[in-house]
Amino acid sequence: MIRFAFAGRVSTEDQQDPEASRNWQLGRANALVGQHGQIVAEFFDIGQSRSIPWKRRPAAGRLLELLQEPGRGFDAVVIGEPQRAFYGNQFGLTFPVFVHYGLQLWVPEVGGPIDPDSEAHDLIMSVFGGMSKGERNRIKIRVRAAMAAQAQVEGRYLGGRPPYGYRLADAGPHPNPGKAADGKRLHTLEPDPVTAPVVQRIFSEYLSGIGIFAIAQRLTADNILCPSAYDRRRNSHRSGAAWSKSAVRAILGNPRYTGYEVWNKQRKQESLIDVDDVALGHHTRLAWNAKTEWVYSDQPAHGALINKDAFEQTQLRLAARGPQSTGRTTTRRQHPYAFKGLLFHDACGRRMQGNWNHGLPHYRCRYPSGVRPRQQDRPPDDRLPARGPAQRPDRFLVGRDIPPRPDRAFADHARGSADRQHTRHRECTTNTCRTRPQTVPVPSSTGSGHRPGSDPTGPTRTPGHRGPARHAGSRATWKSPDDQGGDPPTRDLTRRAGPHIEGS
């Protein structure tokens, strides 16, 4: 007597009865092997799509793992329905494993075990795999075509989460007699008396010229619950602390607020898990369709919160973006940076970036924390670029009437190795920096960048000041075009007056 292991699959519990599907598949398998042996083990997958390979199915994956064990407890595998077990080219990827471990695969369509040397058996199983794939595609096409017609012609609500500003309302019994007998009913959208005025306010303020971020701040300041806080049961994965710009933008771009039903905004997209290993199959993710593929109802399907003209004006402004959408004019202020392109970070050797802060130029490393310096980006040993400032003697006079004073403030940062990671300014004040003695007395004038009464060698911060702490722990290396003759090519200036140099 041959000991058999039964393998089967059912798609979903919602559309099919798993127990009924298992019983008829197991019945076909018993009818095939009843005279040759008995079934001693079962591997039945519930809720698994046929497009998923055997290795990724829970029960089928365990079956493949047991094939290589001598004490597996069965001598052959029987399948009740090949179209449910194999999809596409899955037979060609799975059957060689059975042949390798010397196990027979019994299928009712061939009347017994599959012969690995028979071209007819291989052709039959390949045909069943193609039929399984074609059946799945036909079902998908029919369902999508039917849903598109229901949304466009009938304006039917086809499920999903109701948009913020609406709630579900009963729309009568289901048109399908079988579903109506089970008590299922249709639903439609109706304005929510609590959230519908919020949606109207968002559109009104945006069309009046207020930005998305300002609208979100106003709603939060007025203690209006955001969508995730208003419906916590469906948004338990979100904090619901405040309104976000993305929530406001999603409301402004939703055409269902005009009263028309919209379908096919998203699709289930199947993408290869590994392009180098197609046998792993696909994973399914939701992806946005192009707006040209959205299906709109021919007639209004529910109460509108805004009119179509206001919605179209909103979309035009969203597409324009920037200050041009409100008619505002902006003027870009040009700040003079006397040391533009001349300062290099001592740890990584890259040029430092200038920012205007509190009326003074502020120099810092333009690369974030955690980025290792690249050796090819380091300047030469004299810490000057290939095109040095000697070719541009007027660079110190950009936006200035006089050249910079030699007593400008620079901080001195300890030289780091090429492998040291960047650290932000606040981290530099702890254990990365090494302050050096002052070589120039620090003036006490208020316009020099040094605050009276503060320690010029350590970090200083004014109460309420939100910028980075200023300290004397950074090194900036620069070369003046006047350095000629016996003067050294570089200078380290540590005085606090003048522009601020940040060490990261």
Side-chain angles (χ1 to χ4, degrees):
M1 298 293 288
I2 303 177
R3 297 174 300 173
F4 289 92
F6 165 69
R9 183 200 63 84
V10 62
S11 57
T12 59
E13 296 185 30
D14 296 334
Q15 302 297 330
Q16 300 182 30
D17 182 6
E19 187 64 25
S21 180
R22 170 190 170 277
N23 290 337
W24 72 260
Q25 293 184 50
L26 184 59
R28 292 195 67 192
N30 280 321
L32 176 64
V33 302
Q35 299 179 356
H36 305 278
Q38 62 179 354
I39 296 177
V40 297
E42 293 187 15
F43 298 90
F44 192 77
D45 286 299
I46 299 177
Q48 301 294 322
S49 173
R50 69 183 73 187
S51 63
I52 299 178
W54 276 48
K55 290 183 178 181
R56 292 172 51 203
R57 301 178 193 174
R62 291 195 304 269
L63 173 60
L64 293 179
E65 293 177 358
L66 291 176
L67 294 183
Q68 56 186 340
E69 298 183 5
R72 52 183 171 264
F74 53 88
D75 308 314
V77 177
V78 59
I79 295 175
E81 174 61 39
Q83 288 183 253
R84 290 183 175 269
F86 299 110
Y87 172 88
N89 62 344
Q90 290 180 0
F91 173 78
L93 299 174
T94 307
F95 184 64
V97 180
F98 289 85
V99 177
H100 176 77
Y101 291 108
L103 267 76
Q104 294 180 341
L105 181 63
W106 290 55
V107 178
E109 278 67 19
V110 298
I114 298 177
D115 186 0
D117 298 328
S118 173
E119 296 182 358
H121 287 184
D122 185 75
L123 178 61
I124 291 174
M125 297 306 298
S126 299
V127 169
F128 279 116
M131 292 174 59
S132 177
K133 184 176 181 179
E135 179 183 358
R136 180 173 179 264
N137 291 335
R138 285 196 304 272
I139 294 175
K140 182 169 59 175
I141 292 174
R142 286 198 299 263
V143 171
R144 292 181 59 85
M147 295 180 69
Q150 292 172 355
Q152 181 177 1
V153 179
E154 304 177 18
R156 183 186 300 184
Y157 173 75
L158 297 176
R161 180 183 303 178
Y164 180 82
Y166 285 105
R167 64 183 182 183
L168 292 180
D170 184 75
H174 200 281
N176 188 323
K179 295 182 177 181
D182 294 338
K184 295 183 179 180
R185 304 180 66 84
L186 292 179
H187 294 88
T188 186
L189 298 177
E190 68 176 10
D192 188 342
V194 178
T195 58
V198 180
V199 175
Q200 295 173 344
R201 170 184 171 178
I202 292 175
F203 278 92
S204 176
E205 291 185 356
Y206 188 73
L207 291 178
S208 65
I210 302 176
I212 294 178
F213 184 70
I215 294 176
Q217 287 183 320
R218 290 188 176 192
L219 295 174
T220 303
D222 293 342
N223 296 324
I224 298 177
L225 295 179
C226 61
S228 58
Y230 182 75
D231 191 359
R232 293 301 302 163
R233 184 175 60 87
R234 296 182 178 177
N235 298 275
S236 58
H237 60 291
R238 301 183 182 273
S239 64
W243 281 83
S244 63
K245 293 188 295 183
S246 59
V248 176
R249 178 176 290 277
I251 291 175
L252 293 174
N254 195 341
R256 302 176 80 178
Y257 293 116
T258 60
Y260 288 82
E261 182 62 34
V262 184
W263 181 78
N264 198 36
K265 296 173 65 176
Q266 290 181 303
R267 71 183 185 277
K268 290 184 178 181
Q269 178 176 319
E270 295 182 350
S271 303
L272 286 174
I273 296 178
D274 187 357
V275 295
D276 297 327
D277 189 1
V278 184
L280 291 178
H282 302 76
H283 60 78
T284 304
R285 303 281 180 85
L286 284 177
W288 287 94
N289 291 324
K291 291 186 177 181
T292 55
E293 300 179 7
W294 295 3
V295 178
Y296 292 81
S297 61
D298 296 334
Q299 302 295 330
H302 49 262
L305 299 184
I306 59 171
N307 56 57
K308 294 184 64 175
D309 294 337
F311 182 78
E312 292 177 357
Q313 295 176 10
T314 301
Q315 304 315 302
L316 291 176
R317 186 187 168 190
L318 286 174
R321 295 186 179 182
Q324 297 82 3
S325 61
T326 59
R328 293 182 287 115
T329 58
T330 58
T331 57
R332 300 183 63 87
R333 180 177 299 177
Q334 299 294 334
H335 294 294
Y337 294 97
F339 298 97
K340 179 179 180 181
L342 302 178
L343 303 180
F344 296 87
H345 191 262
D346 190 59
C348 68
R350 304 182 193 240
R351 285 188 176 89
M352 301 184 75
Q353 174 178 294
N355 297 91
W356 207 257
N357 187 11
H358 297 285
L360 291 174
H362 179 87
Y363 298 91
R364 62 183 178 86
C365 182
R366 60 192 178 97
Y367 290 92
S369 173
V371 179
R372 292 184 178 273
R374 297 180 298 179
Q375 189 67 23
Q376 63 270 24
D377 291 341
R378 296 178 62 88
D381 295 337
D382 58 357
R383 312 202 60 75
L384 290 175
R387 296 182 179 181
Q391 301 179 9
R392 293 284 306 276
D394 58 332
R395 295 185 72 173
F396 285 107
L397 304 179
V398 177
R400 304 286 179 124
D401 296 329
I402 58 175
R405 297 178 301 175
D407 57 349
R408 289 197 174 275
F410 294 98
D412 189 40
H413 190 283
R415 180 181 299 273
S417 63
D419 295 334
R420 177 182 297 175
Q421 296 184 0
H422 290 253
T423 55
R424 293 193 180 276
H425 189 80
R426 292 185 179 88
E427 299 172 354
C428 285
T429 61
T430 56
N431 55 4
T432 305
C433 296
R434 302 291 187 272
T435 58
R436 297 178 61 182
Q438 298 294 319
T439 58
V440 181
V442 180
S444 59
S445 58
T446 57
S448 62
H450 169 66
R451 299 179 181 85
S454 61
D455 183 7
T457 63
T460 60
R461 186 181 297 275
T462 302
H465 177 63
R466 302 179 64 181
R470 300 186 177 187
H471 66 96
S474 307
R475 169 176 292 177
T477 307
W478 68 290
K479 182 176 180 181
S480 170
D482 297 332
D483 289 335
Q484 296 177 0
D487 294 337
T490 60
R491 295 178 183 175
D492 291 340
L493 304 180
T494 58
R495 187 170 178 181
R496 289 292 304 173
H500 170 58
I501 310 300
E502 183 177 324
S504 60

